[in-house]
């Protein structure tokens, strides 16, 4: 009889992730970060306890860290003189696949690059740059 190490079995890690940008799987990606939030506050009336709750604006944030070679490839695909910040809005597909074949996908919607920077230091074996993105929202588990 097989012994299960934990109730989740083999956990998902970086090697279970595929990131698709503008129709292609990224190979030169070293990190991805995305989240969303809604501002919520307690509303007070008589007494010391809240009588209700307010809900404010929704906000999504994202960033992607790419190797210089991946950024160079994106830049080379653009017309001469165009910056990555000029690329029209695109979606990012984030696909998580388990060893059992279960697939879960998140979609970061309407992304645009905000900046384009490089940072290199003595001793670096590779050059990776974190690219901040602006996005409209995140569709979770689509």
């Amino acid at each position: 009889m097989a012994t299960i190490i934990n109730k989740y079995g083999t956990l998902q890690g970086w090697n279970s992730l595929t990131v698709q940008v503008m129709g292609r799987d990224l190979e030169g990606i070293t990190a991805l970060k995305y989240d969303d939030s809604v501002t919520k506050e307690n509303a007070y009336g008589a007494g010391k306890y809240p009588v209700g709750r307010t809900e404010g604006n929704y906000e999504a944030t994202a960033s992607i860290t790419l190797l210089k070679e991946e950024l160079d490839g994106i830049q080379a695909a653009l017309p001469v003189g165009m910056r990555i910040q000029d690329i029209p809005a695109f979606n990012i597909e984030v696909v998580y696949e388990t060893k059992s074949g279960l697939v879960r996908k998140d979609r970061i919607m309407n992304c645009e690059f905000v900046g384009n920077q490089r940072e290199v230091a003595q001793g670096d074996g590779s050059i990776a740059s974190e690219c901040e993105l602006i996005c409209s929202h995140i569709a979770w588990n689509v």
Side-chain angles (χ1 to χ4, degrees):
M1 183 167 146
T3 302
I4 297 178
I5 297 171
N6 60 46
K7 69 180 183 178
Y8 300 116
T10 302
L11 301 178
Q12 296 175 48
W14 183 254
N15 59 350
S16 65
L17 178 76
T18 302
V19 179
Q20 300 170 344
V21 173
M22 296 178 274
R24 69 185 266 286
D25 292 350
L26 293 181
E27 294 178 5
I29 179 173
T30 62
L32 174 67
K33 183 171 29 172
Y34 58 103
D35 64 23
D36 63 0
S37 63
V38 174
T39 303
K40 295 184 179 188
E41 295 180 1
N42 286 328
Y44 294 88
K48 65 180 180 177
Y49 296 106
V51 296
R53 188 159 287 149
T54 65
E55 190 171 299
N57 290 336
Y58 169 91
E59 181 180 14
T61 61
S63 70
I64 190 167
T65 303
L66 301 173
L67 293 173
K68 182 177 182 307
E69 290 75 10
E70 189 75 58
L71 281 167
D72 289 347
I74 292 170
Q75 188 71 52
L78 300 176
V80 175
M82 187 174 178
R83 305 171 312 141
I84 64 170
Q85 298 95 316
D86 300 327
I87 297 172
F90 57 91
N91 296 337
I92 296 177
E93 304 284 333
V94 185
V95 180
Y96 300 88
E97 185 171 359
T98 64
K99 286 189 176 190
S100 66
L102 177 68
V103 174
R104 183 169 169 268
K105 181 171 27 174
D106 298 330
R107 186 173 293 132
I108 309 168
M109 305 294 292
N110 304 306
C111 298
E112 293 182 55
F113 289 98
V114 174
N116 189 5
Q117 58 89 27
R118 305 291 184 277
E119 184 175 337
V120 184
Q122 194 281 326
D124 287 350
S126 64
I127 301 168
S129 298
E130 182 178 7
C131 301
E132 182 185 349
L133 301 167
I134 186 170
C135 57
S136 62
H137 63 287
I138 297 168
W140 298 93
N141 197 27
V142 294

